Amino acid sequence: MSLRFFNTYSRQLEDFEPRDPASRKLDIYTCGPTVYSRAHIGNFRAYIFEDLLQRHLELRGYKVHRVMNITDVDDKTIRGAREAKIALQKFTEQFKQAFFEDIETLRIKRADEFPSATDQRYIDRMIEMINTLVSRGLAYQAEDKSVYFRINKFPDYGKLAHFDLTQLQSTGRVKHDEYDKEHIGDFALWKAWDEEDGDVAWESPWGRGRPGWHIECSAMATALLGDQIDIHCGGVDNIFPHHEAEIAQSEGVTGKKFVRYWLHCAHLLVDGQKMSKSLGNFYTLPDLLKKGYTGRDIRYALMRVHYRAPLNFTWEGMEEARQALARIDEWLVRLRETAGDKIDNKNVDLELGQQFEEALDDDLNISAALGFLFESIRETNRAMDRGELDAASAKAWLNWWERVNSVLALEIETAVVLPADVAQLAEQRENARREKNWKRSDELRDRILELGWETRDTKDGQKLAPHVKV
RNA sequence: GGCGGGGUAGCCAAGUGGUAAGGUCGCGGUCUGCAAAACCGCUAUUCGCGGGUUCGAUUCCCGCCCCCGCCUCCA
C-alpha cells in the first residue's frame, strides 16, 4: 500500500506523492511556537505528530528537510517584554531555550532549521513580499498606516478553511481595525508602530512598524524551501486564518501552488475542553516531570491517539502510558536474554511482516500500529514462556524493534548503573536468602526500596530495577 | 448560523458489508518462603438514537441527539 494522508485542502485521503518522487527528497514546513511563555503539552501534541510524520517518512526512505519557525515578535511577546521590563530579544530567548529543552525531553527530532521572525534576513524577505503584493493590487496601506491583504482580490481565499467570506462572524476574540480596512476579513501584513510597541520596530517603505503574524511563515517557507513545499503542518486552529493567509500571501507573490499536502492535528483536551493558555487549563512539560513522569511517558501519552482525533489529557492516561511502556521494556529485556550471543549478529534475516509500517502508511494510523506491536509482544512472550523462541528469532525481533523504534522513539534510556550502596545491600540480601533468613531478606528488600530500587526474585536469582513511584 | 472533527467495554482506542484489534483497569492462574514485578488467561450478543437498503449493517443511505474545535494574530 502506498502512503496516504488526509489533506485539509481537499478534505480527503490522498495518495502521497512529493514534488520530486525520484529524488526521495521532500520538504516539510511546520508552524512552531510563539515564544512568550513556556509551551504547554497541547502545543507538543502537534510537534509530536509532526515528529511521527517525519520519522515515518524517513523509515519509508524519504530524505526529509524540515523547517520550523519561531515566532518571536507579536502582541504577546511585546507585552511580555514590556511587563518584564527587558528587551524583546532577551525576553523571548528564555522561552526559545525552554522550547529546545522540551523537544529534547520528548525525543522530537530537531528541524533542520528554526528560523526566527525577527531575523533581519526574513524581515527583508517579508518587506519584499509585501512590496510585490502591493504592486499587484493584492495589498494596500490603510489610513492607520498598516498594510493589509485585500482578500477580495484573491479568489481562492477561504478554500482551505472552506469558509464563505460573506458568512464570517466576529467572535470578538480579536480587536478589529474595522474603520481602516476595506473588508473586515483583510488581514495585516505590516503593522504600523504604535506606543505599545516601545522600541520594537523596523523601517519599511510604509514607515516604522513590525510584521503581521502570517507573513513571517510565507517569507521563511519560501526563503528556505522555495515556492512550493510538499507538506505543511500545524494544529487545526491554524487552518483559519493563519494557513489561509499563508496561501494568499505566498501564491499572491509566486503565482504557484504553495503547498501540496496540508496536514492538521486535532487538539489536546483537558476535562473535555481545549487546552490553552487563555483558558488557563494547561500543563507544561516541567509540570508533568515534577509528577514523576518521564519524557517518553509523555511522548507515548500524546502520540497514542490518531492525530486527527481529539485527545483528552488525563492522569489515568499518563498511568496507562507508563504501564504500556514498562511492558515494552520487559519484553526487550527478555528478548535480549534469549538472543544471547546472537545479540551482535546483524545478519539475522527476518520475515516479520510489515503491518506496523503499513498501518502508519495509512494516514499515520498509530493505534493500529501499536496494536500490532503489542500483539507481537504477546505472541513472542508466549513463545518464550514455552522456551520455543530460539536465539536467532529473538534477534530478528530485536532488529524489527529497531525499525519500529526509529519511528516511535520510545525505547528506555540505557540501563541506569546500580549505585554502590544498593549493590552492597543486594549482595547481603543474596547471602541472607541463601541461608533462608527471610526476616533479614525482607528487611533488606525494604531498605533497597527506600533507596529507589525494586527487588525481583526470579528463577535466575535476584534482580534489581529502578522503582517507579506512583 | 456556517465549516470541520468526534461519539465502539470502567477508561483510552483500531476496525471491516459477513458477525468486534490493541492498551489500561479489574479478576483468575504461573512464578515466589511471602511479596513485588513479570508473564499467561478471562472480561462488548454489541458499536450515540430512530428509520431505510441488504440474506446480513458497527460499517452504506436518510433523519435526529450529544461532545469538542474554528469562524481574522491559539498547536
Side-chain angles (χ1 to χ4, degrees):
Chain A
M1 184 169 64
S2 59
L3 272 163
R4 54 184 194 155
F5 297 120
F6 186 86
N7 190 343
T8 307
Y9 200 85
S10 65
R11 308 272 184 199
Q12 281 185 328
L13 279 171
E14 293 179 11
D15 285 335
F16 176 69
E17 182 151 319
R19 284 170 305 164
D20 181 10
S23 71
R24 302 302 281 177
K25 287 182 189 166
L26 63 87
D27 297 318
I28 303 182
Y29 185 89
T30 52
C31 287
T34 301
V35 281
Y36 71 104
S37 68
R38 193 152 197 144
H40 59 68
I41 55 170
N43 302 120
F44 287 112
R45 182 190 187 194
Y47 307 140
I48 285 173
F49 142 64
E50 289 152 5
D51 185 56
L52 181 70
L53 173 67
Q54 172 169 7
R55 287 170 179 272
H56 180 59
L57 287 166
E58 286 172 349
L59 180 72
R60 284 312 201 187
Y62 289 103
K63 291 188 192 87
V64 177
H65 181 215
R66 185 159 66 96
V67 171
M68 177 181 273
N69 74 293
I70 308 273
T71 300
D72 58 356
V73 55
D74 80 321
D75 291 353
K76 283 178 285 217
T77 45
I78 290 171
R79 197 191 316 134
R82 272 175 76 101
E83 279 166 11
K85 295 188 168 60
I86 53 174
L88 178 67
Q89 201 184 354
K90 202 168 173 199
F91 177 73
T92 56
E93 187 54 38
Q94 57 187 318
F95 299 114
K96 286 187 193 180
Q97 292 270 331
F99 174 71
F100 288 122
E101 276 169 33
D102 288 350
I103 59 173
E104 192 178 327
T105 304
L106 291 173
R107 306 181 178 188
I108 295 170
K109 274 195 171 184
R110 288 179 68 105
D112 297 283
E113 275 136 321
F114 288 100
S116 287
T118 58
D119 187 326
Q120 190 60 45
R121 179 183 166 199
Y122 303 117
I123 297 275
D124 291 345
R125 170 78 183 150
M126 291 182 230
I127 290 172
E128 186 192 326
M129 290 181 85
I130 297 169
N131 244 329
T132 307
L133 293 170
V134 170
S135 71
R136 291 186 181 165
L138 285 164
Y140 61 92
Q141 185 166 30
E143 288 282 301
D144 65 357
K145 302 295 176 204
S146 293
V147 180
Y148 296 95
F149 191 94
R150 184 177 274 134
I151 61 167
N152 284 332
K153 286 280 181 182
F154 191 81
D156 282 351
Y157 193 78
K159 283 227 174 132
L160 177 69
H162 295 219
F163 281 164
D164 175 356
L165 295 179
T166 62
Q167 298 279 323
L168 288 188
Q169 281 186 13
S170 172
T171 53
R173 208 184 66 193
V174 177
K175 274 186 226 132
H176 295 287
D177 313 296
E178 295 176 36
Y179 304 106
D180 299 305
K181 295 195 286 189
E182 291 176 4
H183 185 290
I184 189 174
D186 289 352
F187 55 89
L189 295 166
W190 188 261
K191 297 185 129 180
W193 182 86
D194 72 25
E195 276 179 37
E196 299 279 297
D197 294 345
D199 59 356
V200 178
W202 288 266
E203 294 301 332
S204 84
W206 313 282
R208 277 158 62 77
R210 60 181 169 97
W213 175 41
H214 316 301
I215 192 68
E216 65 172 88
C217 284
S218 290
M220 296 189 273
T222 55
L224 292 165
L225 301 174
D227 292 347
Q228 191 177 53
I229 53 191
D230 295 297
I231 302 175
H232 191 133
C233 314
V236 284
D237 48 1
N238 272 160
I239 296 171
F240 197 88
H242 186 54
H243 290 162
E244 196 69 62
E246 275 187 56
I247 293 173
Q249 296 159 345
S250 305
E251 298 188 3
V253 169
T254 67
K256 292 179 195 153
K257 190 170 176 65
F258 179 46
V259 168
R260 291 171 68 86
Y261 300 90
W262 285 99
L263 270 52
H264 291 97
C265 175
H267 282 131
L268 183 67
L269 309 179
V270 57
D271 299 326
Q273 285 205 302
K274 175 179 158 183
M275 180 176 288
S276 76
K277 300 256 173 79
S278 49
L279 291 171
N281 61 349
F282 64 90
Y283 297 101
T284 64
L285 208 49
D287 290 339
L288 300 199
L289 295 174
K290 260 178 252 157
K291 294 247 183 190
Y293 293 102
T294 63
R296 73 179 185 128
D297 291 340
I298 302 164
R299 179 179 173 87
Y300 183 93
L302 296 181
M303 193 165 70
R304 66 192 225 283
V305 174
H306 188 266
Y307 75 92
R308 281 193 291 118
L311 164 54
N312 200 15
F313 174 83
T314 60
W315 295 110
E316 208 178 349
M318 287 305 303
E319 213 43 52
E320 179 187 326
R322 175 185 277 168
Q323 288 306 121
L325 287 171
R327 192 169 164 80
I328 295 173
D329 296 344
E330 294 293 337
W331 176 64
L332 291 173
V333 168
R334 270 186 98 177
L335 277 180
R336 291 201 176 99
E337 281 173 9
T338 307
D341 56 4
K342 288 271 196 302
I343 197 80
D344 293 319
N345 186 352
K346 293 226 166 57
N347 297 321
V348 179
D349 225 348
L350 58 155
E351 298 284 332
L352 297 180
Q354 298 274 316
Q355 288 181 61
F356 179 82
E357 41 262 75
E358 278 170 6
L360 292 177
D361 284 348
D362 185 17
D363 198 33
L364 299 179
N365 189 343
I366 186 70
S367 304
L370 289 173
F372 180 67
L373 168 64
F374 283 107
E375 247 175 87
S376 305
I377 288 176
R378 185 156 37 77
E379 274 166 31
T380 41
N381 274 334
R382 216 182 285 155
M384 285 188 280
D385 281 353
R386 293 198 212 100
E388 284 170 5
L389 196 83
D390 60 31
S393 303
K395 177 57 187 169
W397 279 105
L398 286 166
N399 288 348
W400 178 80
W401 165 253
E402 250 179 67
R403 221 161 74 217
V404 168
N405 190 53
S406 74
V407 177
L408 299 180
L410 288 173
E411 187 165 331
I412 196 165
E413 296 84 350
T414 358
V416 211
V417 185
L418 202 62
D421 52 347
V422 176
Q424 208 177 3
L425 290 172
E427 203 187 315
Q428 288 173 31
R429 184 164 180 273
E430 287 254 32
N431 292 332
R433 293 179 65 71
R434 213 165 291 131
E435 294 157 15
K436 298 204 190 296
N437 185 347
W438 307 127
K439 192 171 168 234
R440 171 98 180 120
S441 164
D442 291 353
E443 273 169 23
L444 286 162
R445 178 163 70 197
D446 290 344
R447 282 181 63 191
I448 291 168
L449 186 63
E450 277 165 28
L451 293 169
W453 291 77
E454 206 169 79
T455 327
R456 303 177 180 180
D457 297 315
T458 73
K459 274 185 298 212
D460 308 318
Q462 173 181 274
K463 286 179 183 171
L464 292 162
H467 177 64
V468 179
K469 289 188 197 81
V470 179

